[in-house]
Amino acid sequence: MRPLLTATGFRRLALPSVALIAALLINSLADRVPSSIGLGGNHQLIGILREFSAAALWLAGAWVAARLIDLLLRRAAVTGPRSASYPRLLSDLIHAALFLLAAIGISTFVFDQTATGLIATSSVMIAVIGFALRYVISDVFSGIALSFDRPYRIGDWIETSPGTIGKVVEITWRTTRLLTRDGIAIVVPNGLLATGRLANYSGAAPSFRSALRLSLAPDIAVARAKRILLAGALAATRTYSDLRPDVLLSECSDAGIVYMIRFWVPDYGQENMCRDAVMEGVLYALRRAGLTPSASRREIISKESDSDHAQGRTPPEMLLLDSELFGAFSTEERVHLAERLVERRFREGVTIVHQGEPASTVFFVREGALEVRSTGAPGGEIAINRLGAGDLFGEMSLLTGEPRSASVIALTDVVLYELDKEDIAPLLARRPELGEALADLMLARQRSGRARLDAQEGEQALELRSTSARLFGRLRKFFSLPDVGR
Ligand code: CMP
C-alpha cells in the first residue's frame, strides 16, 4: 500500500500550508500588531490588516485544497487498475474552481459584495469575448466533457481520423497531444475529438486483434492452406508469445481464395513488428511447402515453387539440403538420404514422440506446427519450444540411441518425413568424421535453444564443451564408429 504522503507530496504541501498558517496568525493577531510596532489604536491599519489576512486566508485555503486534491487524484491514477498519468486538464479545472470559490468567498465575506452584481456587470463583456473565442471555448468545454467521459487516457493508442493514429501523451484544456509510431507529434483540438468518431486501440486492454490477407490458388486444398498458414503464423509466437493466431477464409473467386490470418497484438506500438513476424513465418512456411507467392494477385501462389522444380529437387531433398544438422554431408549424400525419407501425416493434437520412449528416428517438418514439451519439469508438463516447416526433431535419439528427451505434439495437422538410424548408419560407417560434425551441430542447436540462459556465460560454455565430447562418445558407441582421434 502506497503511503498517502510521500516526500514529494509533503514538499508540495509545505509552502501552501505555511501561507495558510501565516494568514491565520495575522488574522487572529490583527488587533495587536499595530500596538506592538508602536502604532497602537490605529483602526484604519487594523481594518486593512484584517481584510488583507482574511483574503489571504481564503486564497491559501484554496491553494492547500488544490494541492491536496491533486495528490489524492495522482495517487488514485497510479494505483488504479490501469496505471496512467493524471490528466493536466482535470487538475487545471479543479484549481480554477477552487480559486473561483475563494474569489466569491472574499467578495462576499470580506468585502460584503454579492457575487451576482459582479456577474451582471461583466455579462456583456463575456458575450463579446465568447463570440470571438467560440472555437477555443468549444474545445475547452469538449476537453472538460472528455475529462469526465474519459474515452481515452494518457498512454492509450487512439485513431482520431482514418490513418491518424498516435499515443496520447498529454491532454490540455484545448488540445490532446498524440505521438505517432514514427515519432511525429500531432495536436488535435478537443472539439474534434468530442464530435468525431474515435477508435481506441488500448480500450479495455492494451492488446487488440489485427489481420493479414493472403490469396492462394483455388486448386490448393483449403485444409492444407489453412494448416500451412497457421503453422507459419505460429512460428512468430517464438518472438511474440501472445499472438494466438487463427486462419479464416475471407473471400473466394476464380482468381484465388483469400485467407485472413488473424493475430493479437500486445500493444499498438508493436503492430508493425508483429505483422512482420507473422508475414515472415507465413512466407517461410509457404516456401517450405513448395508454394511461392507472385506479385500479381491473379496468379498469386499458383503452384509448387518453380525454384525447387527448376533444380529438379523433391520436397524431401529440399528439406535435407536446407537442414543445418546435415550441413557436413555432401549434396549427393543428402540426396541419397532424402530417397530414404518416409512421409508421415499426423492429426492435430497427436503426440508424435513421447518423452522417455526408446527410439532411433528423426523427423523433418514439411507442413504444420508442433510443440516440444518436457514432462520432467518440477511444475509438471511445460512447453519448451515450437517447431515449424523446415525444422527437425528426434535427432538426439537418432544419434545417441537414448530415450526421447521430450515429447513433441502436433499443434495443427502435420506432414513430416521420418529417417531411420539404419539409413544413416552406412554413411557414417564410410565417413566417421561426419559423426563428429553431427555431434557439433547437434550441440550448436542445443546451445541456440538455451540462448535464453544468457547469464553465467563462461560456465555455460564450459559445460557445453564437455557435453559435446560426451555426446560424440555416445554417438560413436551407438553407431559403432572407430575413434577418429578427437
Ligand atoms: P529426441 O530426444 O530424440 O526426442 C525429443 C526431441 O525434441 C529431441 O530429440 C529434440 O529433437 C527435440 N527437442 C528437445 N529439446 C528441444 C528444444 N529445447 N528445442 C527444440 N527441440 C527440442
Side-chain angles (χ1 to χ4, degrees):
M1 175 111 181
R2 264 173 82 91
L4 180 62
L5 216 54
T6 57
T8 325
F10 187 77
R11 268 199 304 277
R12 289 180 61 79
L13 267 180
L15 195 60
S17 306
V18 169
L20 183 70
I21 293 165
L24 200 66
L25 277 175
I26 296 171
N27 191 258
S28 54
L29 301 174
D31 294 346
R32 275 179 261 163
V33 171
S35 51
S36 66
I37 55 170
L39 297 169
N42 189 336
H43 292 291
Q44 205 184 352
L45 186 61
I46 291 174
I48 291 173
L49 262 181
R50 273 224 186 101
E51 282 177 354
F52 169 78
S53 58
L57 204 58
W58 275 97
L59 290 173
W63 195 9
V64 172
R67 285 278 162 97
L68 210 57
I69 291 174
D70 257 4
L71 282 177
L72 290 173
L73 287 179
R74 196 162 285 140
R75 186 169 175 269
V78 172
T79 54
R82 290 178 58 207
S83 179
S85 303
Y86 158 57
R88 216 183 79 188
L89 175 60
L90 191 60
S91 161
D92 288 352
L93 203 64
I94 291 168
H95 292 189
L98 285 170
F99 282 100
L100 186 71
L101 220 65
I104 293 172
I106 293 168
S107 137
T108 312
F109 300 107
V110 182
F111 299 109
D112 290 330
Q113 300 284 322
T114 55
T116 44
L118 197 74
I119 292 164
T121 47
S122 54
S123 60
V124 176
M125 231 170 70
I126 287 173
V128 172
I129 295 173
F131 184 74
L133 298 178
R134 59 192 184 284
Y135 295 117
V136 175
I137 290 170
S138 148
D139 288 343
V140 169
F141 277 97
S142 300
I144 294 169
L146 287 171
S147 76
F148 285 111
D149 196 25
R150 307 199 85 181
Y152 54 83
R153 296 166 184 231
I154 288 172
D156 284 0
W157 286 92
I158 62 171
E159 184 172 23
T160 57
S161 58
T164 310
I165 304 176
K167 190 180 196 167
V168 179
V169 288
E170 193 181 15
I171 306 167
T172 68
W173 276 95
R174 217 179 63 72
T175 59
T176 293
R177 284 160 204 270
L178 310 179
L179 196 66
T180 69
R181 283 188 299 211
D182 300 326
I184 299 164
I186 301 178
V187 181
V188 190
N190 289 335
L192 274 184
L193 291 171
T195 50
R197 170 195 160 277
L198 187 116
N200 188 340
Y201 288 92
S202 311
S207 60
F208 72 100
R209 183 131 75 181
S210 186
L212 290 170
R213 281 183 171 71
L214 206 99
S215 285
L216 299 186
D219 55 324
I220 299 169
V222 169
R224 181 177 177 223
K226 281 187 168 179
R227 173 175 73 222
I228 295 168
L229 296 175
L230 180 60
L234 280 168
T237 61
R238 290 176 199 162
T239 319
Y240 298 98
S241 59
D242 242 2
L243 293 174
R244 288 172 281 145
D246 60 7
V247 178
L248 301 173
L249 276 177
S250 176
E251 277 171 50
C252 194
S253 72
D254 288 347
I257 299 176
V258 181
Y259 292 87
M260 185 163 63
I261 305 148
R262 302 189 302 174
F263 51 94
W264 287 88
V265 177
D267 174 83
Y268 187 81
Q270 293 184 28
E271 200 209 5
N272 280 345
M273 300 313 293
C274 291
R275 290 179 84 82
D276 174 82
V278 171
M279 198 42 132
E280 191 181 320
V282 164
L283 290 179
Y284 183 75
L286 284 169
R287 197 173 74 80
R288 302 282 5 163
L291 302 170
T292 181
S294 81
S296 141
R297 189 171 156 180
R298 197 162 276 278
E299 351 152 353
I300 274 174
I301 307 172
S302 55
K303 54 182 182 335
E304 301 282 304
S305 162
D306 290 343
S307 58
D308 296 359
H309 287 285
Q311 297 169 9
R313 301 277 177 227
T314 61
E317 285 169 2
M318 288 307 295
L319 276 172
L320 269 176
L321 286 170
D322 280 358
S323 167
E324 217 184 302
L325 189 67
F326 289 85
F329 288 67
S330 69
T331 304
E332 289 68 36
E333 285 163 337
R334 285 197 252 182
V335 169
H336 168 80
L337 281 179
E339 284 163 11
R340 270 134 198 92
L341 290 183
V342 180
E343 187 181 296
R344 302 256 185 245
R345 286 171 182 263
F346 296 93
R347 285 278 187 211
E348 175 188 341
V350 171
T351 303
I352 295 151
V353 306
H354 292 86
Q355 188 169 344
E357 206 176 56
S360 56
T361 61
V362 66
F363 291 91
F364 297 86
V365 185
R366 179 167 187 215
E367 289 173 16
L370 305 107
E371 191 161 80
V372 184
R373 294 186 197 157
S374 172
T375 49
E381 190 175 77
I382 52 156
I384 50 174
N385 214 335
R386 288 233 166 124
L387 305 173
D391 288 332
L392 60 83
F393 61 91
E395 80 287 352
M396 293 291 290
S397 296
L398 170 87
L399 298 173
T400 63
E402 293 189 350
R404 296 290 190 199
S405 60
S407 297
V408 181
I409 292 101
L411 294 179
T412 62
D413 291 356
V414 290
V415 181
L416 311 173
Y417 292 110
E418 190 174 9
L419 181 72
D420 197 274
K421 178 202 167 198
E422 299 312 323
D423 296 318
I424 199 172
L427 274 182
L428 291 182
R430 241 183 295 140
R431 289 182 54 197
E433 71 278 10
L434 286 180
E436 192 179 359
L438 274 180
D440 284 345
L441 282 168
M442 203 165 24
L443 252 298
R445 186 168 183 248
Q446 281 186 340
R447 185 178 295 211
S448 76
R450 290 195 212 172
R452 278 172 242 136
L453 307 169
D454 47 4
Q456 311 136 8
E457 218 169 70
E459 269 176 53
Q460 197 187 356
L462 253 176
E463 195 207 317
L464 283 176
R465 254 201 307 278
S466 68
T467 314
S468 172
R470 266 190 280 138
L471 200 62
F472 179 58
R474 290 207 299 263
L475 188 149
R476 233 179 39 220
K477 203 162 144 214
F478 187 48
F479 282 88
S480 314
L481 302 179
D483 193 342
V484 288
R486 183 173 170 120

